[in-house]
């Protein structure tokens, strides 16, 4: 969160193609997160439907897209925003991904056993496969989105975008 504050502080947003690409990535990331949380039932069923049929960690992919989008809309003459983007990618790839894989993989293996192992082998972690994993039948549910507190992510994103574009008011 401290990096977000620094990003907003140094933001020099412009309304140009790169800014619209950033906003598009933010929107795409949030749509992916809504799609994923609408299928997610934590620790009760192994979620393999929706985006989980294509990629094991759609919430992290969505968050990554949002992070990149924020760095694109906040860019400016200061190199800080590009440094934050590089730092964010580095932290995501070198720390967050291995940590989450180990921690969540162990937890899910304990809960779901062989079912998790099969899914883990069949579905990639972060780069979606084209053919869906064929064992997910759960339908998307707005109730699940609410239960997974995803609307608060949307509130934070809108607040962050507004803070960047209107920070000098």
């Amino acid at each position: 969160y401290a990096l977000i504050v620094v990003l907003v502080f140094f933001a020099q947003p412009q309304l140009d193609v790169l800014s619209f690409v950033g906003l598009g990535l933010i929107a795409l990331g949030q749509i992916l997160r809504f799609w994923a949380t609408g299928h997610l039932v934590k620790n009760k069923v192994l979620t393999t439907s929706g985006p989980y049929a294509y990629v094991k960690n759609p919430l992290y992919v969505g968050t990554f897209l949002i992070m990149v989008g924020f760095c694109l809309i906040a860019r400016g003459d200061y190199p800080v925003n590009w440094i934050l983007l590089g730092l964010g990618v580095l932290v995501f790839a070198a720390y967050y991904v291995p940590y989450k894989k180990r921690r969540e993989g162990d937890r899910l293996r304990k809960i779901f056993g062989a079912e998790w192992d099969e899914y883990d082998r069949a579905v990639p972690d972060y780069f979606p496969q084209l053919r869906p994993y064929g064992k997910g039948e759960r339908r998307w549910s707005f109730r699940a989105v609410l239960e997974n507190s995803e609307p608060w992510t949307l509130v934070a994103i809108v607040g962050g975008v507004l803070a960047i574009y209107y920070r000098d008011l």
Side-chain angles (χ1 to χ4, degrees), residues 4-46:
I4 293 171
V5 172
V6 172
L7 185 69
V8 171
F9 181 78
F10 285 103
Q12 291 182 322
Q14 303 161 13
L15 285 177
D16 59 6
V17 172
L18 200 55
S19 183
F20 286 111
V21 169
L23 290 169
L25 287 174
I26 291 169
L28 182 63
Q30 183 57 63
I31 289 167
L32 180 57
R33 288 186 57 87
F34 265 111
W35 185 27
T37 56
H39 285 270
L40 184 61
V41 181
K42 293 179 183 176
N43 301 323
K44 294 182 180 161
V45 296
L46 180 61

Side-chain angles (χ1 to χ4, degrees), residues 74-104:
R75 78 197 188 287
D77 294 333
Y78 302 111
V80 172
N81 299 335
W82 298 111
I83 291 169
L84 288 177
L85 175 59
L87 201 77
V89 170
L90 181 66
V91 168
F92 185 80
Y95 171 74
Y96 192 73
V97 167
Y99 171 76
K100 283 296 195 175
K101 178 152 180 73
R102 184 178 59 252
R103 185 171 170 236
E104 288 191 2

Side-chain angles (χ1 to χ4, degrees), residues 133-155:
Y133 182 72
K135 299 194 179 189
E137 297 181 18
R138 180 168 163 71
R139 297 178 62 101
W140 186 86
S141 160
F142 187 67
R143 176 183 286 263
V145 171
L146 295 175
E147 288 171 356
N148 288 302
S149 303
E150 190 58 25
W152 291 111
T153 303
L154 180 59
V155 168

